[in-house]
Structures are given as C-alpha cells and as structure tokens.
Amino acid sequence: MLTYPTILLDLDGTMVDSAPGVVSTIAQTLRELGEPVPDMKELLRWVGPPLPESFEKRAGFSPARTSEAIQVFRSHYIDYGVFDSRVFDGMGEFLRNAKEAGAHLAVATSKPTTSATIMLEHFTLSRHFDVICCAADDESRGAKHEVIEDALRGLRDKGLPTDNVIMVGDRIHDVEGARVHGIDTILVRWGYGGPAEWDQAHRVVDTPRQLHELLGVPGSHR
C-alpha cells in the first residue's frame, strides 16, 4: 500500500545524473567570461540550486554579470550539455512501478523549463508524470518553494489529491522548499547533497529499492 498517494520529485541529482553536462557547461561559461574555474568538488556544489543563485553566491557575480553568465550557459547547455547525463539506475523502474501502483507523480525542479523538458523527453520519463513544473526559462521563477507551489496547483487543477504529499530530492533546497508547504521530504544519497543536508530531511535512502520500500511501491528487486 502506498505510503503517500502523491509524490513530488526533483530532477537533477534525484532522477537524472546531470552533473557531467552541467559542470562542463559552467566551466566553459566561466572560461568564456574570463573567470577562474573552480575544481570539480566545488563545481558539483553548483548543481541543484537555481543557477543564478550559484553564480551570485559561489562566483560572487553581480546581478548583471549573473544575467550575462546565464545567457552564455544556456546557449551551450541546450546544444549539448543537456544530453551529457543519464538516468540513475533503478529510477526508471521506480517511476514505472509507482505509476502502476496508482501514485500521482509530479516533477518539481528548479531546472529551466526548456532544458528540463528536453531531458525528460530524451529519457522518455515525461509519460510517468501527471504534472511537470520547472523554473521559468528566464530564471524569474525558480526557487524550490515556487515550483512546488506550481506542482501542487497543477495537481489540484487536475482533481488529484494534495493532502498527503512527499517530496523526494537530494539537496537542502528540496527540504526547505517543501517545508514552506508543510510537506515531508526524503533525500536520496546518490545525488549531490551531503550529510548536513541529509540531516534536515525526514528520511534518507541509499538506493531506489529503499525508496520503493519506504513509499510502499511494489516491484523492485534491486
């Protein structure tokens, strides 16, 4: 029996390992702008939060410089970076089994709409979701609590339940965004977060099989 009839899922770091494409495109963007490129460990911390936040907080860019960086990043990422990714082992199976078990699924990601849509369709994941909510392409609306709000509204507009919802993600932004709406969270350890972030979640899982078990989704043998 499903523990939660409605499941919201993050994209980067939760369903899809997009770090190779994101990190390489960030590095290329910084080089084109004549900025120093951090090491890989630091660049991985850029993956997950809204990109303007990363450029401002981690690179110290002004709003104008951030806007310039986003334009450069987007032009390269849409062309090739978005395809330099893979679905995490077991997550396709989880989505299929959850849907077959009657769960209502929604994407709630801070990834811009165009790149998120390309990625979901490229990996044939879109068909599993009742609602797909992403950041605006111009980055004007992309905070996690905002895309979760959009997802909840989209579910309600379709007459689907939102009174018993779980958010599955990998970063502290998923926890904080869900908290705004009084939603519990599960963080996955295979994403881009760390122990300090995991400690803030209601539950943490190491494998998609554990996610199956925790959410009462049948069918995983991994």
Side-chain angles (χ1 to χ4, degrees):
M1 181 178 179
L2 293 171
T3 309
Y4 296 88
T6 302
I7 305 170
L8 310 182
L9 293 110
D10 178 46
L11 181 56
D12 293 345
T14 302
M15 291 186 281
V16 175
D17 181 7
S18 57
V22 172
V23 166
S24 65
T25 309
I26 291 171
Q28 181 173 356
T29 298
L30 292 171
R31 283 193 293 269
E32 286 194 19
L33 295 176
E35 300 286 346
V37 178
D39 62 24
M40 181 61 68
K41 182 178 180 180
E42 170 61 20
L43 282 174
L44 283 172
R45 295 176 180 171
W46 295 51
V47 183
L51 203 54
E53 176 183 327
S54 292
F55 277 116
E56 290 177 5
K57 291 186 176 180
R58 298 200 171 276
F61 283 6
S62 67
R65 187 65 162 166
T66 294
S67 179
E68 181 183 6
I70 292 297
Q71 291 180 20
V72 173
F73 176 91
R74 187 181 297 134
S75 67
H76 295 303
Y77 189 69
I78 292 298
D79 286 341
Y80 57 85
V82 69
F83 300 108
D84 189 7
S85 54
R86 68 178 183 88
V87 179
F88 283 110
D89 292 344
M91 283 307 294
E93 179 187 18
F94 170 78
L95 295 174
R96 182 176 64 252
N97 291 342
K99 195 66 178 176
E100 290 177 353
H104 307 296
L105 304 178
V107 174
T109 176
S110 292
K111 199 176 192 72
T113 298
T114 297
S115 54
T117 300
I118 290 172
M119 182 174 286
L120 288 164
E121 292 181 354
H122 176 69
F123 291 115
T124 65
L125 299 178
S126 301
R127 58 195 173 93
H128 298 298
F129 293 96
D130 299 290
V131 172
I132 295 174
C133 291
C134 318
D137 276 332
D138 64 2
E139 310 285 348
S140 61
R141 182 177 176 84
K144 183 59 69 161
H145 73 274
E146 293 174 331
V147 294
I148 290 175
E149 179 182 354
D150 293 343
L152 294 173
R153 183 186 303 114
L155 289 163
R156 287 193 292 267
D157 288 346
K158 290 190 171 186
L160 301 176
T162 58
D163 55 339
N164 190 13
V165 182
I166 189 73
M167 176 74 209
V168 180
D170 71 309
R171 300 297 309 272
I172 188 64
H173 304 79
D174 299 303
V175 176
E176 293 172 343
R179 188 179 294 145
V180 170
H181 300 281
I183 295 174
D184 288 351
T185 48
I186 297 172
L187 291 191
V188 302
R189 282 199 177 101
W190 59 79
Y192 312 129
E197 296 172 271
W198 302 333
D199 288 345
Q200 299 301 311
H202 293 87
R203 300 291 295 271
V204 179
V205 295
D206 293 298
T207 65
R209 179 176 182 176
Q210 290 180 359
L211 190 60
H212 275 83
E213 295 170 350
L214 187 58
L215 295 180
V217 175
S220 176
H221 302 291
R222 301 186 182 190

